[in-house]
Amino acid sequence: MCFLRLCGASSAGLSPEERLVLASFAMHFGGRGPVKMTLRELSGRLGISVRVVARAVSRLSAEAHLVVNKVSIGRGRPSSAYELSAMMQARLSGGRGEICPPVCKRVIKNLLSANNEQSGKGCDGVVQSNSIGFKKPPRRSDIDSPSASARWLLAVLFSYSDDLGVVRGVTTLELRQATGMGKTKLKSQLMGLVDRGLIRSYVPGASNTLFVGAKVSTTYFLNLNHPFLGVGRDVSAVLALKEYGCDRRELACITARPIVERFLRGIEDQAFEIFCLRVDGYASFLLTRRWVELSNPRCPELTQSVEDMVSADFQMPNGSAVGGAGVDVADWVVVVEHIAWLAVERARWIRKLVMRMPSGGADSTHIQIIPAPKHDSEIRVTVLLMGSPPVPHVNCLVINYTLPRVCSLYEEEAEIPIDERYSFGLLTRPKD
């Protein structure tokens, strides 16, 4: 699906709507030669409104992205022949080989076509109100369906996503260049996708000398199970655990040596959120790639591999940085060992829990820990997205270790009460 980004990179100066029309046309008709149809027929094939298509075709033709010639196909049916320009065909011809998870390819195909029109069910979790000014309240599908700009942004995000909907390492500048959006519009469209539940949650990026390269991009968790995407039954299974416990910083410090504890407590709040994201990332990697080795209580190769990842992501503070905790080379080795230990122990705890499920384990299954919202009470939540469900024929399992102790089974994510989806981080509450 590299052609999607090529369409964005080759479209400097075009609006997001124009890029969506160009990419959709390239996917449907690229290389077929001239396509004869009316503007309304073209709009129907692309699943984009006639108004947007008409404006986009005019601009794409003027910018030599499309070749448009008037033709006659019958009385009363003014039509045109549409074709990608030789320039665009040359640019796109070598860009179709990039690896993209099959589920993301399906999502992108739906977003660039009329297939997503079948999702008029509306978006779960969006609170509607009959606003003053409407003579008749608009249909849910009209309110909930993302605009052409939002569809294009969503398609671009999925071109960077893994098979569970996680987008890492993509800078704001790269998103702006690919989508054609300014800083303000990009932020607004991203928040719109969050409010609609198409983006489950996100961890904002930060600039901090704690991280190699000093700057970390925002990580987005896309909702592959959202009905608007049109990929059928829940793509990723959900395992949610609610239990008593202290917050993540306290938990990380409980077993730490004094120098490590001072270091951890000195990390700024925003940077600490990324710290937790990194630890969960290491644990997710172990659960996905090193499932069998996790059963061995003593596996130095496993520990060393995590320490190598930690060393690649974090760097020793200069001087007395990070809360005044003076960390020298010897101390930094201890810090790295502790971070790796946190990830390994977290992975082993989750593995033991999953091993008790009827599925009998999750070897070769992609497992991703997603960030859970902070709770004011002494409640801690851990949520996993899994490539296959831990219980046969049950896509969502919620285990409550707090009173009342209960294990709830759901055939699909939409059955989980909306407030619980917010509390688990499966959805982010709209700011209003």
Side-chain angles (χ1 to χ4, degrees):
M1 276 297 172
C2 184
F3 88 95
L4 187 78
R5 291 181 222 157
L6 281 173
C7 283
S10 305
S11 309
L14 297 183
S15 69
E17 294 86 352
E18 291 159 353
R19 295 176 191 224
L20 175 66
V21 171
L22 177 61
S24 184
F25 185 90
M27 184 187 74
H28 284 279
F29 306 113
R32 293 189 187 181
V35 179
K36 299 178 182 180
M37 60 179 61
T38 66
L39 192 64
R40 187 168 296 279
E41 289 170 338
L42 179 61
S43 168
R45 290 292 298 274
L46 303 184
I48 305 171
S49 72
V50 175
R51 179 184 59 82
V52 171
V53 172
R55 293 175 58 183
V57 165
S58 177
R59 178 69 185 281
L60 294 173
S61 176
E63 296 291 331
H65 291 86
L66 284 183
V67 176
V68 182
N69 294 309
K70 294 292 182 181
V71 296
S72 176
I73 59 173
R75 185 176 179 181
R77 296 191 65 199
S79 183
S80 299
Y82 306 92
E83 183 179 12
L84 283 177
S85 67
M87 173 191 71
M88 281 304 303
Q89 291 189 48
R91 289 178 180 177
L92 298 179
S93 61
R96 298 180 182 269
E98 182 168 305
I99 297 176
C100 183
V103 65
C104 294
K105 289 183 179 180
R106 289 164 55 199
V107 168
I108 292 171
K109 182 177 180 181
N110 288 348
L111 289 170
L112 299 186
S113 68
N115 291 355
N116 69 329
E117 295 298 321
Q118 57 86 32
S119 58
K121 312 169 190 175
C123 303
D124 291 317
V126 179
V127 179
Q128 304 299 337
S129 62
N130 297 340
S131 302
I132 296 174
F134 288 112
K135 293 182 180 179
K136 181 180 179 181
R139 293 180 295 117
R140 281 185 58 90
S141 58
D142 290 340
I143 300 175
D144 297 346
S145 295
S147 64
S149 294
R151 279 173 58 185
W152 173 241
L153 171 58
L154 196 55
V156 170
L157 287 170
F158 271 107
S159 75
Y160 289 103
S161 170
D162 68 13
D163 60 340
L164 288 182
V166 185
V167 179
R168 304 180 181 86
V170 185
T171 66
T172 299
L173 179 59
E174 288 174 322
L175 286 179
R176 288 176 57 189
Q177 291 173 338
T179 61
M181 297 181 186
K183 185 176 181 180
T184 301
K185 182 169 184 176
L186 177 61
K187 182 178 180 180
S188 174
Q189 293 291 349
L190 285 169
M191 290 304 99
L193 294 178
V194 170
D195 290 347
R196 288 184 173 91
L198 287 156
I199 295 178
R200 292 185 184 278
S201 60
Y202 62 98
V203 177
S207 295
N208 195 294
T209 55
L210 173 62
F211 308 110
V212 171
K215 192 169 185 178
V216 179
S217 301
T218 299
T219 299
Y220 301 95
F221 294 85
L222 308 179
N223 188 358
L224 278 165
N225 293 341
H226 198 289
F228 178 78
L229 302 180
V231 288
R233 199 171 186 271
D234 286 4
V235 175
S236 57
V238 175
L239 174 58
L241 314 170
K242 183 184 290 186
E243 59 182 342
Y244 294 113
C246 51
D247 65 32
R248 290 294 299 271
R249 196 185 296 260
E250 294 299 324
L251 192 64
C253 292
I254 287 175
T255 57
R257 292 168 59 175
I259 184 63
V260 180
E261 181 178 358
R262 289 198 298 273
F263 170 81
L264 294 174
R265 293 195 184 281
I267 301 175
E268 298 174 358
D269 288 344
Q270 188 176 7
F272 191 77
E273 293 299 313
I274 298 175
F275 171 88
C276 294
L277 180 68
R278 290 276 169 88
V279 172
D280 284 346
Y282 307 143
S284 300
F285 170 83
L286 294 174
L287 291 165
T288 301
R289 301 289 183 86
R290 309 296 288 272
W291 179 268
V292 175
E293 291 96 320
L294 283 171
S295 62
N296 187 349
R298 294 183 179 180
C299 187
E301 296 85 1
L302 185 71
T303 303
Q304 185 60 53
S305 67
V306 181
E307 290 178 5
D308 291 342
M309 289 189 285
V310 174
S311 297
D313 288 337
F314 295 89
Q315 57 189 2
M316 186 178 75
N318 294 324
S320 59
V322 187
V327 178
D328 58 22
V329 175
D331 294 332
W332 183 244
V333 172
V334 178
V335 171
V336 170
E337 289 175 348
H338 184 75
I339 297 173
W341 178 85
L342 289 173
V344 172
E345 288 303 303
R346 186 156 169 76
R348 282 179 171 151
W349 171 72
I350 291 173
R351 185 186 185 278
K352 288 180 181 178
L353 182 72
V354 174
M355 285 295 293
R356 296 200 294 266
M357 303 292 173
S359 63
D363 192 12
S364 301
T365 295
H366 188 175
I367 297 178
Q368 176 64 53
I369 305 171
I370 66 173
K374 294 180 180 179
H375 291 269
D376 295 332
S377 60
E378 295 181 352
I379 300 297
R380 186 155 50 91
V381 171
T382 300
V383 180
L384 312 179
L385 298 181
M386 306 179 67
S388 59
V391 178
H393 312 299
V394 175
N395 267 26
C396 301
L397 177 63
V398 176
I399 302 177
N400 189 357
Y401 289 112
T402 65
L403 296 176
R405 299 176 185 272
V406 56
C407 177
S408 303
L409 306 178
Y410 303 94
E411 290 189 4
E412 55 186 29
E413 185 177 334
E415 295 179 1
I416 301 177
I418 188 68
D419 282 342
E420 289 194 34
R421 277 181 275 166
Y422 286 137
S423 67
F424 295 150
L426 295 172
L427 294 174
T428 299
R429 290 186 186 275
K431 290 186 178 180
D432 58 354

